[in-house]
Amino acid sequence: MTFTDFNFKTPLLQAIQDAGFIKPSPVQKEAIPLILEGYDVIAQAQTGTGKTAAFGLPILNLMTGNDGVEALVIVPTRELAMQVSDELYRFGKNCGFKTATVYGGTSYDKQIDRIRQAHIIVATPGRLQDLLKTNRIKLAPKFVVLDEADEMLDMGFLDEIKNIFTFLPKTRQTLMFSATMPSQIRRLAEEILQTPKTVSITKSESTNRAITQHYYVVQEHERDDALIRLIDYKNPTKCIIFCRMKKEVDRLASLLASQGFKVGALHGDMEQKQREITIRSFKQGNVDIFVATDVAARGLDVNDVSHVFNYHMPFDSESYVHRIGRTGRGGKTGEAITLVSPNELRTIKMIEKDVGTKMVTQAIPTRQEVQSSKESELIARIIDTKITPEGINLVKTLQHEIDIVAIAHMLASSIVSTQEIKGKDTIGFGLKEIDALLQRVNKARKDNQQGRRRPQQNRSRQNRDRSPKNSFHKSSNSKTQKS
Ligand code: ADP
Ligand code: MG
């Protein structure tokens, strides 16, 4: 199946081809025909599987361009608003559609001006509600999309969303897209969608996303060394390092910068301008390493992120899914790496069960191992080096005093020294030790289950349904310590 099978109008199809999209992703294959037929749709698919185009393309195809604002897309964050509006602009511009982006922190007047000229609005809930409530704008869109609905609820936007819908016309096509479907979302869907069709892309169908997942067991104080060693070893083209706290983001970013890495930092307290500049420099490749908190990096769509590092375990499985979804985007492969202390092994096991994937544990490579892995890279680099007149002259000069083999040795040593691997020889736990730790965790879990009758797994699930920021991490920790 290709995009031509949807019978899109010619300028739209042209834009899709210009974007280099050939095959629709699973969620696109299922959702696009339903939306074209006019149904309300609630769709669930993992991050990075092309949900934006899944609602964007059929809406653009159905829009006329002479009815003012025809489509309203509500997204959780400013970054996402810009991303989604970029994507819609890219596909809609051949049809002459204009997009306006609406979010807090910028002037009202400019936004209202743009809204007056726009065919599509992409907005965050806070500012949108504000504009509607104060009568600054009136909207009668035919299409309303709630994008990344789970994140919107996680961020506490439920009331704003419900309120926004009181300002919208009853006759409309409503679409809801989300990476996960907690019960809260289903309840909201019952309120705002009419006899919706459901699209759910299960894990096995979406595993065309090749993300390998590894975890490494380290002592609490070894995290920094482990991280640097792994970056040296894995050689990421671009990577994101996730931390739990803003303070940690700042500390790690300066540590890595002091080691000569090109680093950017992203957290919730940063000024909007600064965030945009940081994200842009990451996209353009001026920065290779991004240190971020969960909230700051939500939905971030940067191509070519080869690795995601979890400096600390995320607090719950849903964050884990969102974090690792920053890599392996647009059909590329990616690697997710998590650092855990022995006390957190139990949480790893729970996330594995919750997410339905297997994470493989490995020992952190020794300094020697990294050094030898660099050797072949160095050899390739030397072989690929073009001989320049300056180089020839330098050797000529040296040759007066030093014999040619010695010169070669010196030059090679000089190159090797620029790639010297720092740090302790061995970091973290070896495979045998990890095995022993895991056996203890398993045993403690079994004992626990027999002792309680009610399995731990179910308990944590119930907790999570009640509040998205559940605390199973803490409880599991204290239990492991006892064992
Ligand atoms: P999601 O919303 O599911 O997290 P996005 O809509 O942000 O995913 O898409 C992730 C990336 O994949 C984007 O860069 C997008 O341009 C790209 N993409 C989406 N659909 C396709 C497709 N059919 N072929 C190639 N790339 C695609
Ligand atoms: Mg999305």
Side-chain angles (χ1 to χ4, degrees), residues 19-212:
F21 285 21
I22 298 159
K23 250 181 71 180
S25 70
V27 65
Q28 291 163 356
K29 229 178 346 200
E30 291 198 29
I32 291 174
L34 293 171
I35 300 171
L36 287 173
E37 279 177 53
Y39 288 107
D40 280 6
V41 171
I42 173 165
Q44 173 188 15
Q46 258 182 293
T47 40
T49 53
K51 293 193 287 295
T52 317
F55 64 76
L57 298 177
I59 289 179
L60 290 166
N61 194 64
L62 293 168
M63 282 172 47
T64 63
N66 8 328
D67 286 319
V69 173
E70 288 177 75
L72 168 66
V73 182
I74 308 172
V75 298
T77 63
R78 290 176 280 206
E79 276 77 30
L80 270 181
M82 288 187 277
Q83 250 170 54
V84 169
S85 101
D86 281 353
E87 183 115 331
L88 295 180
Y89 172 76
R90 166 158 77 145
F91 292 118
K93 65 172 191 283
N94 287 347
C95 309
F97 297 148
K98 291 207 185 101
T99 313
T101 320
V102 172
Y103 47 77
T106 56
S107 105
Y108 283 94
D109 290 345
K110 255 197 219 143
Q111 279 182 359
I112 293 167
D113 249 14
R114 295 238 177 82
I115 291 171
R116 294 231 164 86
Q117 300 169 29
H119 305 97
I120 304 164
I121 293 182
V122 184
T124 55
R127 175 56 70 97
L128 178 64
Q129 184 197 22
D130 200 14
L131 289 171
L132 290 167
K133 251 182 160 171
T134 53
N135 263 325
R136 283 190 167 93
I137 58 166
K138 281 208 160 46
L139 294 178
K142 300 177 209 166
F143 307 95
V144 180
V145 185
L146 286 183
D147 189 23
E148 314 285 354
D150 53 350
E151 296 190 12
M152 271 195 290
L153 295 202
D154 267 6
M155 294 173 74
F157 282 132
L158 184 61
D159 291 340
E160 278 91 340
I161 290 167
K162 284 186 181 168
N163 186 241
I164 286 167
F165 274 93
T166 64
F167 293 95
L168 300 177
K170 291 266 171 321
T171 326
R172 57 165 199 256
Q173 190 174 351
T174 315
L175 312 170
M176 203 157 153
F177 280 74
S178 194
T180 56
M181 266 314 146
S183 52
Q184 246 191 325
I185 301 245
R186 290 207 198 87
R187 279 200 297 276
L188 177 65
E190 276 168 29
E191 266 179 62
I192 58 175
L193 306 198
Q194 271 184 4
T195 51
K197 297 277 182 197
T198 305
V199 171
S200 177
I201 305 301
T202 56
K203 272 161 202 140
S204 61
E205 285 168 88
S206 56
T207 44
N208 56 343
R209 301 201 60 198
I211 303 175
T212 48

Side-chain angles (χ1 to χ4, degrees), residues 414-428:
S414 146
I415 297 174
V416 168
S417 72
T418 64
Q419 290 240 335
E420 200 204 349
I421 304 302
K422 300 191 197 79
K424 295 190 293 182
D425 277 342
T426 55
I427 301 168

Side-chain angles (χ1 to χ4, degrees), residues 349-413:
K349 291 287 138 200
M350 285 190 184
I351 289 186
E352 272 187 338
K353 259 206 172 156
D354 258 13
V355 177
T357 55
K358 178 104 187 85
M359 294 185 229
V360 180
T361 183
Q362 286 182 331
I364 293 175
T366 62
R367 195 171 58 189
Q368 188 53 47
E369 279 165 344
V370 181
Q371 201 88 56
S372 15
S373 82
K374 294 281 167 197
E375 214 166 85
S376 43
E377 258 169 62
L378 277 183
I379 290 171
R381 214 171 88 195
I382 292 172
I383 290 173
D384 285 345
T385 304
K386 265 223 312 271
I387 296 175
T388 62
E390 292 83 358
I392 293 173
N393 278 337
L394 198 61
V395 172
K396 259 189 200 151
T397 315
L398 286 169
Q399 234 178 330
H400 293 305
E401 315 245 339
I402 311 168
D403 120 279
I404 196 85
V405 175
I407 294 175
H409 288 163
M410 286 165 167
L411 289 176
S413 309

